[in-house]
């Protein structure tokens, strides 16, 4: 962990220390899509780009503003990241989840529902709406901007559509199965009759079946995105019935004749009985034929010319039953699903670099060769389809079911009684689930147990501050059936109290103990409490669990709400409650929301956004006490004696690591409760790993300096790395930090490691708002944040992952001064 001076604030008020088919604009490709991002600014009814003209930013049209650092946004790395000691009851951070709360990166630190020993609470609670809908929006061809949906309607609408879609898919599957069974029965009978008079040529029996790849995604998410169909050179769709007049002299490539295959199979069966020796006399090294394709569920067609895509390009094409994303790398073509498996973002609007496609919204990455998810957030992969290039034509063969579902779950093994390995994971967050799944995907057959303090299955915590009336089952990362099938045991209401590394056991509050051969500690953080009078009054809340969120949403309606803290949790809760509460007031000792993370200029944009929705701010002051009547809070008294009516108060003043139970175990811990780990997420003790918010780990982009990054995305990466370490398949952690926050249907995306920035260079229109802000330290760009400026942040993340640096001089005069570096990376050497 980086060391240095720590800046702290006294909240009691006594003191304040201080990314073809694209058009180019100035060398930058601007992808077009009528799918729109619910994270962004416009409503679907508006059909207008954020800046009024739908134009992508250019070198000449974007005003440049430069922000000089102030004492409140110190260039000192430790100042930006310093976190108050858990034992200090007098000092408080200036923001509930800002970098000030950790000497290392805590860009996303928040006070969201942290649970001791249960939730791998990555404090990145800045997540998009509960379900993101991609309804069509009319746009100008040059615009890459997408508009939002009404956030309040997303969950109910998407849930209903998903249920209807699932029912239709099940009905279709039943019909296909019945038809296939009838067809097979008739054809087998016909084949047997035919075989009594004529045997098929022997050579035909030895032809291997065509290689087909099956995709069986689960957890279907229906997304009713409509986009204009791409013009194709030729389209061939495989039918359920073959044309009887088709002859061998045809020049067209036709799908396999399933009837003929069935006749041959039946003939083989009869011949095996009559001439067993001949029928089984096959070379030992001859490969087994692949399982036959279900032609009723298969569609095939030419989607484009080979020349339609240049090296490095990616573009969507219509395959009749759905769209596919075609990616070209050198002379190779790949076909993938079009949507991110996390929240359904259109991948064509993202970034393609070095064998990966990165989601434009939240940074998840997928292999172009396999469709596997390689960076996060999210747990599932995306479909990958068969591609053939012949005579300059690109032909794709896909399963209809895979075209309809953006998610693919990787195959997982089961537990075996012969294994004596036991992996115990403490905590119920994303790193825990990703660790358990990776173990099963990589062949681990031992016992896997996840122990969570909560009474819920691991869930998508960032949604709590955005859809506060949502229930835990609706945001579960996986359902109970998934864990059962994967032989992953979930223990609820289990709070760890001690770790015995000598005997390899963990003791819980209920007196039980669980043995392990490998231990993963992923307990996340717990909310910090303020040492002020009145925090014990009724209706003074900390947002920790779905139950907390539900109560806050219910009790805030028509009431006066006071929120302490103006970072992620505080501002997202303000956005969620502004439409239902009588008043919403935000108190903080800094000058603007997100000041330490995003700087004053960007913070001012968010402040105005909230003020336009009725939220009132009381900055540069703290809380002196909460006053109540009959045991319920009625007022919040500020440090300057201002009294705010308060029927409900939400504390958003940061978290501390939930690691008290580790003390005395021999596992190394910093004086602030964080656990130092190596590149494989291993602690100083053999077979003990730690992941998520509670760790300080070597970040490759800053020379392997130990940092603490409390991002939802990073926690996933930790879990995968730890699992591979347990299996002895070392793959050191290498992920570029990426987070986002959604407020009033507008999403700010952020990538990089920003603590210690000394200047902020902004391009675009802060009033629109449509901008990108580059955070620089010395001569280097170390991070960037954007609103309605895709895919700049996603591309910058890819550039950073490749080890490339963007210089301050490259972004001073234009927003895309570094883009030529990125474009070179997309060309296959």
């Amino acid at each position: 962990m980086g060391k240095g001076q720590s800046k702290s604030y006294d909240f009691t008020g006594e003191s304040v220390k201080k990314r073809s088919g694209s058009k180019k604009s100035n060398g930058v490709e601007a992808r077009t899509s009528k799918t729109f991002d619910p994270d962004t600014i416009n409503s679907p009814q508006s059909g207008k780009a954020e800046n009024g003209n739908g134009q992508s930013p250019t070198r000449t049209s974007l005003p440049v503003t430069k922000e000089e650092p102030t004492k409140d946004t110190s260039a000192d790395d430790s100042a930006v990241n310093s976190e108050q000691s858990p034992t200090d009851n007098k000092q408080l951070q200036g923001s509930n989840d800002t970098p000030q709360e950790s000497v290392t990166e805590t860009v996303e630190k928040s006070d969201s529902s942290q649970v001791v020993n249960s939730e791998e609470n990555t404090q990145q609670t800045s997540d998009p709406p509960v379900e993101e809908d991609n309804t069509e929006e009319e746009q100008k061809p040059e615009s890459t901007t997408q508009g939002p949906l009404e956030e309040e309607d997303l969950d109910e609408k998407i849930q209903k559509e998903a249920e209807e879609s699932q029912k239709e898919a099940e009905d279709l599957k039943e019909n296909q199965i019945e038809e296939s069974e009838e067809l097979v029965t008739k054809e087998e009978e016909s084949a047997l009759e035919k075989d009594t008079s004529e045997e098929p040529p022997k050579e035909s029996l030895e032809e291997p079946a065509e290689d087909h790849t099956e995709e069986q995604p689960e957890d279907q998410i229906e997304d009713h995105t409509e986009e204009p169909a791409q013009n194709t050179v030729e389209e061939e769709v495989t039918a359920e019935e073959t044309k009887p007049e088709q002859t061998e002299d045809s020049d067209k490539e036709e799908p396999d004749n399933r009837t003929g295959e069935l006749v041959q199979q039946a003939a083989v069966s009869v011949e095996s009985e009559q001439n067993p020796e001949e029928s089984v006399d096959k070379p030992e090294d001859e490969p087994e034929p692949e399982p036959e394709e279900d032609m009723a569920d298969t569609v095939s067609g030419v989607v484009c010319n080979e020349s339609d895509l240049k090296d490095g390009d990616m573009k969507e094409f219509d395959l009749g039953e759905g769209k596919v994303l075609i990616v070209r790398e050198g002379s190779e073509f790949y076909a993938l699903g079009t949507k991110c498996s996390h929240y359904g973002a259109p991948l064509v609007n993202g970034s393609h670099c070095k064998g990966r496609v990165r989601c434009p919204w939240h940074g998840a990455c997928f292999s172009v060769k396999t469709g596997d998810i390689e960076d996060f957030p999210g747990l599932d992969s995306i479909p990958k389809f068969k591609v053939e290039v012949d005579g300059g034509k690109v032909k794709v063969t896909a399963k209809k079911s895979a075209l309809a579902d953006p998610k693919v779950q990787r195959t997982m093994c089961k537990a075996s009684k012969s294994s004596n390995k036991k992996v115990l994971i403490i905590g119920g967050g994303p790193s825990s689930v990703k660790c358990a799944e990776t173990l099963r995907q990589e062949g681990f057959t031992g016992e896997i147990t996840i122990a969570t303090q909560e009474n819920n299955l691991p869930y998508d915590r960032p949604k709590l501050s955005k859809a506060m009336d949502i229930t835990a089952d609706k945001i579960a990362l996986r359902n109970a059936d998934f864990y059962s099938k994967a032989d992953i045991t979930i223990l609820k209401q289990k709070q760890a109290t001690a770790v015995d590394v000598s005997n390899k056991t963990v003791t819980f509050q209920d007196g039980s103990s669980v043995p392990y051969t490998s231990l993963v500690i992923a307990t996340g953080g717990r909310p910090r409490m303020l040492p002020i009078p009145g925090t014990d009054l009724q209706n003074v809340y900390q947002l920790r669990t779905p139950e907390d969120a539900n109560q806050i949403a219910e009790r805030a309606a028509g009431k006066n709400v006071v929120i302490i803290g103006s970072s992620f949790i505080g501002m997202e809760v303000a956005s969620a409650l502004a439409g239902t509460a009588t008043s919403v007031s935000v108190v903080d000792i800094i000058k603007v929301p997100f000041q330490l993370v995003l700087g004053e200029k960007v913070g001012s944009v968010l402040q105005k956004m909230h003020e336009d929705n009725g939220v009132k701010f009381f900055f540069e002051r703290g809380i002196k006490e909460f006053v109540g009547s009959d045991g319920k809070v009625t007022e919040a008294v500020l440090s300057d004696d201002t009294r705010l009516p308060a029927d409900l108060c939400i504390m958003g003043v940061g978290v501390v690591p939930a690691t008290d139970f580790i003390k005395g175990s021999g596992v190394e811990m910093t004086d602030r409760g964080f656990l130092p780990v190596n590149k494989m997420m291993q602690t100083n003790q053999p077979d003990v790993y730690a992941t998520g918010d509670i760790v300080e780990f070597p970040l490759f982009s800053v020379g392997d300096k130990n940092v603490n990054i409390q991002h939802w995305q990073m926690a996933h990466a930790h879990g995968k790395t730890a699992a591979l370490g347990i299996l002895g398949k070392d793959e050191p952690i290498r992920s570029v930090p990426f987070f986002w926050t959604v407020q009033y249907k507008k999403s700010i995306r952020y990538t990089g490691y920003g603590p210690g920035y000394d200047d902020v260079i902004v391009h675009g229109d802060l009033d629109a708002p449509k901008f990108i802000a580059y955070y620089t330290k010395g001569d280097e760009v170390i991070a960037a944040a954007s609103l309605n400026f895709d895919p700049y942040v996603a591309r910058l993340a890819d550039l950073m992952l490749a080890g490339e640096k963007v210089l301050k001089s490259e972004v001073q005069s234009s927003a895309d001064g570094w883009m030529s570096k990125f474009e070179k990376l997309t060309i296959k050497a």
Side-chain angles (χ1 to χ4, degrees):
M1 175 184 66
K3 298 183 180 292
Q5 294 181 343
S6 174
K7 290 194 177 182
S8 59
Y9 298 99
D10 186 346
F11 232 110
T12 62
E14 298 179 5
S15 65
V16 179
K17 305 177 181 178
K18 320 203 187 178
R19 168 173 300 210
S20 135
S22 59
K23 303 224 173 177
K24 288 194 175 183
S25 175
N26 288 330
V28 182
E29 296 180 358
R31 272 184 182 68
T32 64
S33 173
K34 288 194 176 182
T35 306
F36 61 86
D37 180 355
D39 288 352
T40 51
I41 181 171
N42 291 332
S43 65
Q45 290 83 4
S46 69
K48 296 180 180 179
E50 291 74 8
N51 62 2
N53 59 19
Q55 297 296 320
S56 298
T58 65
R59 300 174 189 261
T60 57
S61 64
L62 299 180
V64 181
T65 58
K66 184 174 181 182
E67 178 177 349
E68 296 297 333
T70 65
K71 291 184 179 180
D72 290 311
T73 54
S74 171
D76 190 285
D77 191 359
S78 61
V80 178
N81 282 301
S82 63
E83 176 175 358
Q84 168 188 8
S85 170
T87 59
D88 186 354
N89 291 329
K90 294 182 179 181
Q91 296 301 318
L92 177 67
Q93 299 309 314
S95 170
N96 63 320
D97 57 357
T98 64
Q100 256 193 323
E101 294 178 329
S102 173
V103 171
T104 51
E105 147 81 68
T106 53
V107 169
E108 296 200 71
K109 178 157 292 189
S110 71
D111 60 308
S112 83
S113 44
Q114 302 303 323
V115 181
V116 180
N117 302 332
S118 69
E119 282 307 312
E120 159 59 36
N121 181 4
T122 56
Q123 293 313 308
Q124 164 42 15
T125 54
S126 316
D127 201 282
V130 176
E131 297 286 352
E132 307 221 59
D133 196 337
N134 298 320
T135 307
E136 177 178 5
E137 177 188 21
E138 292 297 328
Q139 295 179 317
K140 296 188 177 182
E142 300 83 67
S143 176
T144 61
T145 307
Q146 301 170 353
L149 294 180
E150 293 298 327
E151 185 169 1
E152 309 86 24
D153 303 330
L154 286 176
D155 182 56
E156 181 179 351
K157 180 178 179 181
I158 297 303
Q159 184 68 23
K160 182 177 179 181
E161 292 175 344
E163 291 173 356
E164 293 175 352
S165 174
Q166 185 65 27
K167 188 175 184 303
E168 292 175 1
E170 291 173 355
D171 293 341
L172 176 60
K173 187 174 182 180
E174 280 186 26
N175 292 336
Q176 292 174 348
I177 292 174
E178 291 174 1
E179 292 173 1
S180 298
E181 289 175 348
E182 292 176 4
L183 177 62
V184 170
T185 301
K186 292 179 180 180
E187 292 176 339
E188 286 178 343
E189 292 174 355
S190 174
L192 288 171
E193 292 174 2
K194 180 178 179 180
D195 186 67
T196 58
S197 61
E198 177 180 351
E199 290 187 2
K202 272 192 176 180
E203 56 270 21
S204 66
L205 303 180
E206 299 178 357
E207 293 178 1
E210 182 178 352
D211 182 15
H212 292 287
T213 301
E214 282 199 22
E215 305 284 353
Q216 294 295 342
E218 298 181 15
D219 295 338
Q220 178 168 343
I221 292 180
E222 187 66 21
D223 189 345
H224 298 279
T225 301
E226 295 183 6
E227 299 188 6
Q230 302 287 348
N231 293 326
T232 62
V233 176
E234 180 180 357
E235 184 174 290
E236 303 177 68
V237 178
T238 301
E240 298 181 12
E241 299 178 2
T242 58
K243 297 182 180 181
E245 65 272 13
Q246 186 67 40
T247 67
E248 296 179 359
D249 297 329
S250 174
D251 292 331
K252 285 190 176 181
E253 180 179 359
E254 291 294 333
D256 294 339
N257 187 320
R258 183 169 175 78
T259 302
E261 291 179 357
L262 290 170
V263 170
Q264 292 179 7
Q265 291 171 6
V268 169
S269 177
V270 173
E271 184 177 3
S272 296
E273 295 177 5
Q274 297 175 351
N275 305 293
E277 294 183 359
E278 290 184 24
S279 62
V280 298
D281 187 16
K282 298 172 65 176
E284 292 183 3
D285 59 348
E286 181 176 338
E288 288 295 326
E290 299 255 347
E292 290 192 20
E293 196 81 40
D294 180 1
M295 303 308 291
D297 187 37
T298 303
V299 60
S300 180
V302 171
V303 297
C304 66
N305 286 324
E306 185 176 1
S307 60
D308 288 340
L309 283 81
K310 301 187 300 295
D311 185 10
D313 285 349
M314 63 178 181
K315 187 176 181 181
E316 283 187 2
F317 294 95
D318 196 346
L319 193 59
E321 297 290 335
K323 293 182 181 298
V324 294
L325 180 69
I326 302 298
V327 181
R328 180 170 184 174
E329 291 195 345
S331 61
E332 297 295 323
F333 287 79
Y334 304 95
L336 305 167
T338 62
K339 300 172 186 175
C340 177
S341 62
H342 182 225
Y343 283 151
L347 295 174
V348 70
N349 290 340
S351 176
H352 164 226
C353 181
K354 288 186 173 294
R356 281 180 166 187
V357 173
R358 183 183 292 268
C359 172
W361 292 354
H362 311 131
C365 297
F366 305 90
S367 167
V368 300
K369 295 182 179 180
T370 65
D372 287 345
I373 187 167
E374 295 187 342
D375 207 342
F376 312 94
L379 298 170
D380 296 311
S381 299
I382 60 174
K384 186 263 183 183
F385 310 115
K386 180 179 178 180
V387 179
E388 298 172 284
V389 180
D390 187 22
K393 311 290 185 184
V394 179
K395 178 182 178 180
V396 176
T397 300
K399 297 184 74 66
K400 297 176 184 177
S401 55
L403 287 170
D405 193 337
K407 296 186 177 183
V408 174
Q409 289 183 9
R410 287 187 57 190
T411 302
M412 296 189 293
C413 69
K414 305 277 285 185
S416 170
K417 293 182 179 180
S418 63
S419 175
N420 61 356
K421 301 293 185 180
K422 302 176 187 293
V423 174
L424 173 61
I425 307 171
I426 311 175
S431 69
S432 299
V433 177
K434 187 59 190 178
C435 180
E437 290 194 18
T438 301
L439 288 169
R440 287 287 185 248
Q441 291 165 357
E442 296 294 327
F444 179 78
T445 58
E447 294 181 11
I448 301 177
T449 301
I450 296 177
T452 171
Q453 179 179 291
E454 291 198 44
N455 194 35
N456 302 305
L457 292 174
Y459 54 85
D460 193 341
R461 184 178 297 276
K463 290 181 179 177
L464 293 182
S465 56
K466 303 168 185 65
M468 303 186 70
D469 58 350
I470 199 166
T471 56
D473 60 323
K474 289 186 178 180
I475 58 175
L477 296 175
R478 298 296 195 194
N479 59 28
D481 187 53
F482 173 89
Y483 296 111
S484 177
K485 290 179 178 179
D487 286 340
I488 297 172
T489 300
I490 305 292
L491 300 179
K492 300 178 183 177
Q493 296 182 313
K494 287 285 188 178
Q495 180 178 345
T497 56
V499 174
D500 185 339
V501 298
S502 297
N503 295 311
K504 292 193 171 184
T505 60
V506 174
T507 302
F508 296 91
Q509 195 172 46
D510 59 6
S512 64
S513 64
V514 178
Y516 66 84
T517 56
S518 294
L519 173 65
V520 180
I521 306 171
T523 48
R526 54 185 172 82
R528 176 183 286 111
M529 289 297 296
L530 292 178
I532 62 174
T535 55
D536 57 342
L537 290 170
Q538 292 183 40
N539 296 331
V540 176
Y541 282 95
Q542 293 174 319
L543 180 54
R544 300 170 55 190
T545 67
E547 291 76 18
D548 290 338
N550 295 167
Q551 288 185 25
I552 292 172
E554 180 182 354
R555 299 183 183 184
K559 302 296 183 179
N560 297 304
V561 178
V562 175
I563 299 172
I564 315 302
S566 65
S567 194
F568 295 94
I569 286 296
M571 302 316 297
E572 289 179 3
V573 169
S575 174
L577 299 181
T580 59
T582 297
S583 69
V584 176
S585 301
V586 177
V587 180
D588 208 333
I589 59 175
I590 56 179
K591 296 180 179 180
V592 295
F594 301 96
Q595 178 182 336
L596 300 178
V597 183
L598 302 177
E600 289 191 31
K601 282 186 170 62
V602 176
S604 296
V605 173
L606 293 171
Q607 180 176 345
K608 182 178 185 302
M609 191 186 301
H610 282 272
E611 290 175 337
D612 289 346
N613 284 274
V615 176
K616 296 181 179 179
F617 290 93
F618 297 84
F619 285 121
E620 298 186 272
R621 64 194 90 181
I623 290 286
K624 181 182 292 185
E625 66 176 324
F626 294 114
V627 176
S629 176
D630 297 327
K632 297 181 180 180
V633 68
T634 58
E635 285 185 322
V637 182
L638 308 189
S639 57
D640 63 352
D641 292 326
T642 299
R643 304 176 79 91
L644 302 177
D647 302 307
L648 193 72
C649 294
I650 298 100
M651 308 293 290
V653 292
V655 300
V656 293
T659 56
D660 288 345
F661 70 102
I662 302 296
K663 294 178 180 178
S665 67
V667 176
E668 183 183 355
M669 183 187 303
T670 70
D671 57 359
R672 295 180 301 120
F674 293 103
L675 307 184
V677 296
N678 63 18
K679 294 181 180 181
M680 294 307 302
M681 311 309 297
Q682 186 171 17
T683 68
N684 65 310
Q685 293 294 327
D687 303 315
V688 179
Y689 298 77
T691 61
D693 292 1
I694 63 172
V695 306
E696 291 182 353
F697 71 100
L699 182 62
F700 81 98
S701 61
V702 291
D704 291 335
K705 171 185 176 182
N706 262 25
V707 300
N708 173 248
I709 298 178
Q710 301 189 12
H711 294 178
W712 188 250
Q713 159 261 339
M714 192 60 76
H716 287 72
H718 288 174
K720 177 182 178 180
T721 299
L724 295 176
I726 291 171
L727 296 172
K729 302 179 179 181
D730 289 3
E731 185 179 300
I733 183 72
R734 185 180 176 88
S735 181
V736 176
F738 200 112
F739 74 83
W740 66 99
T741 180
V742 181
Q743 297 164 46
Y744 305 107
K745 308 178 187 69
K746 299 175 181 65
S747 180
I748 287 184
R749 327 199 195 284
Y750 182 106
T751 194
Y753 183 72
Y757 70 86
D758 53 36
D759 198 4
V760 184
I761 299 173
V762 182
H763 292 276
D765 187 349
L766 291 172
D767 294 326
K770 180 184 178 73
F771 63 84
I772 183 166
Y774 293 104
Y775 299 85
T776 66
K777 186 176 183 180
D779 296 331
E780 183 181 345
V781 173
I782 59 175
S786 75
L787 194 159
N788 295 318
F789 228 84
D790 290 339
Y792 279 56
V793 168
R795 288 187 174 184
L796 184 59
D798 277 337
L799 196 68
M800 291 178 169
L801 184 64
E804 297 286 341
K805 294 185 181 298
V806 175
L807 302 179
K808 182 176 182 179
S809 59
E810 294 175 312
V811 300
Q812 283 181 316
S813 60
S814 69
D816 58 357
W818 54 274
M819 204 62 71
S820 60
K821 288 184 177 180
F822 170 81
E823 291 169 348
K824 290 179 181 179
L825 289 177
T826 65
I827 306 301
K828 190 175 181 66

